């Protein structure tokens, strides 16, 4: 989507792991970036995560910014920490949301028994502050197309927060297996993945100090899901 000597913003396809981890050493986004950038990526993330300022889940598509040098990495990291970036996602949630817009404030922590999952902890001590605001873009058949803005950046935040609302994302068996089984029974539609897309990302460029807005085109599988679920 954008590239210069300091950074690259990519439109990550669904199905690709961001960086190497347990069981995923090859065919990751980092492997592709190292090749594309001829090894010129920030070293702050270490050997396994060069240039990676933030990440997207394997099944999430869309905007992701990568730093090519340490100065850019530090500047971008600061914006993420200060929450001064704009991060807007599109998602399809199971069921019909009661409100046309809302603000979800529920701390997020590691699940006490399922260590690969996170959990919302509204009204409880513990966990890290998390906030997601949303607005309904279109009401679909047994589902709702939403635009969600991240004000914090916790692991699986949008997925956990919509589960917390009682409307997990379509295709998300980790955080909404029961609702998704019902969704498939009611609609006959089988989602190919978690229906979440990192649509817009805007930040201050580390070198020019100008706002850099980026937008990732909506992928075909997401468009097809919306089309299939229209009333």
């Amino acid at each position: 989507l954008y590239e210069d000597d300091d950074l690259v913003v990519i439109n990550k396809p669904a199905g690709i792991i961001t960086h190497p981890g347990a069981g995923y050493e090859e065919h990751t986004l980092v492997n592709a970036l190292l090749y594309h950038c001829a090894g010129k990526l920030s070293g702050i993330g270490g050997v396994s995560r060069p240039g990676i300022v933030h990440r997207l889940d394997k099944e999430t598509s869309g905007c992701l910014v990568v730093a090519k040098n340490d100065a850019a990495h530090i500047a971008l990291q600061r914006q993420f920490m200060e929450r001064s970036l704009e991060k807007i996602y599109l998602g399809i949630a199971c069921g019909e949301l009661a409100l046309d817009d809302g603000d979800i404030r529920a701390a997020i922590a590691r699940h006490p028994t399922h260590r690969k999952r996170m959990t919302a902890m509204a009204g409880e001590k513990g966990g890290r502050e998390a906030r997601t605001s949303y607005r309904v873009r279109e009401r679909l058949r047994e589902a709702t197309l939403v635009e969600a803005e991240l004000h914090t950046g916790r692991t699986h935040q949008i997925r956990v927060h919509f589960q917390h609302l009682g409307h997990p994302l379509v295709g998300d068996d980790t955080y909404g297996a029961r609702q998704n089984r019902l969704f498939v029974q009611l609609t006959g539609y089988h989602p190919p993945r978690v229906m979440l897309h990192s649509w817009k990302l805007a930040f201050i460029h580390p070198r020019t100090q100008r706002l850099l807005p980026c937008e990732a085109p909506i992928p075909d599988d997401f468009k097809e899901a919306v089309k299939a679920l229209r009333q």
Side-chain angles (χ1 to χ4, degrees):
L1 299 172
Y2 176 87
E3 183 174 16
D4 61 23
D5 292 339
D6 297 301
L7 56 89
V8 55
V9 182
I10 67 150
N11 180 11
K12 186 186 92 65
I16 295 181
I17 296 284
T18 300
H19 55 73
Y24 297 96
E25 296 301 325
E26 298 179 345
H27 309 299
T28 69
L29 186 61
V30 162
N31 298 133
L33 284 164
L34 284 168
Y35 177 81
H36 175 77
C37 299
K40 294 180 181 178
L41 293 174
S42 160
I44 291 177
V47 176
S48 64
R49 303 184 185 186
I52 300 301
V53 183
H54 67 127
R55 59 183 290 275
L56 295 177
D57 295 339
K58 178 182 179 182
E59 294 189 28
T60 302
S61 55
C63 289
L64 187 142
V65 59
V66 178
K68 288 188 175 182
N69 54 62
D70 290 358
H73 195 127
I74 292 168
L76 290 168
Q77 208 166 45
R78 184 180 301 117
Q79 292 182 61
F80 274 95
M81 291 177 64
E82 294 173 351
R83 305 172 186 175
S84 59
L85 302 90
E86 180 184 64
K87 297 174 286 182
I88 298 177
Y89 288 67
L90 293 177
I92 304 175
C94 291
E96 183 175 344
L97 273 67
L99 303 175
D100 287 336
D101 55 66
D103 201 39
I104 310 168
R105 296 173 183 261
I108 290 177
R110 185 72 58 183
H111 196 285
T113 54
H114 302 284
R115 301 306 294 169
K116 292 185 178 181
R117 292 175 54 185
M118 309 301 287
T119 187
M121 306 181 69
E124 300 179 25
K125 294 183 178 180
R128 302 176 70 187
E129 176 200 4
R131 178 189 169 205
T132 306
S133 58
Y134 71 88
R135 71 180 185 91
V136 171
R137 289 179 60 91
E138 186 176 351
R139 294 189 180 277
L140 306 168
R141 185 163 49 94
E142 305 295 340
T144 308
L145 175 63
V146 295
E147 179 180 314
E149 182 172 2
L150 281 179
H151 301 280
T152 52
R154 308 305 178 207
T155 300
H156 299 172
Q157 179 173 317
I158 292 176
R159 297 166 62 189
V160 172
H161 270 176
F162 276 90
Q163 179 201 37
H164 180 65
L165 275 188
H167 297 278
L169 296 184
V170 167
D172 195 346
D173 289 333
T174 299
Y175 292 105
R178 180 179 59 81
Q179 292 95 327
N180 268 282
R181 283 195 297 270
L182 178 61
F183 166 81
V184 171
Q185 288 173 7
L186 292 172
T187 63
Y189 177 75
H190 294 265
R193 62 173 172 106
V194 178
M195 301 315 296
L196 184 62
H197 177 64
S198 176
W199 184 35
K200 294 181 179 181
L201 177 66
F203 54 90
I204 300 299
H205 191 286
R207 189 180 299 273
T208 68
Q209 293 301 300
R210 293 180 179 176
L211 182 68
L212 180 61
C214 300
E215 181 176 323
I218 300 170
D220 289 343
D221 62 353
F222 199 100
K223 289 180 181 178
E224 288 166 4
V226 173
K227 183 178 179 181
L229 295 170
R230 283 210 162 105
Q231 299 281 4

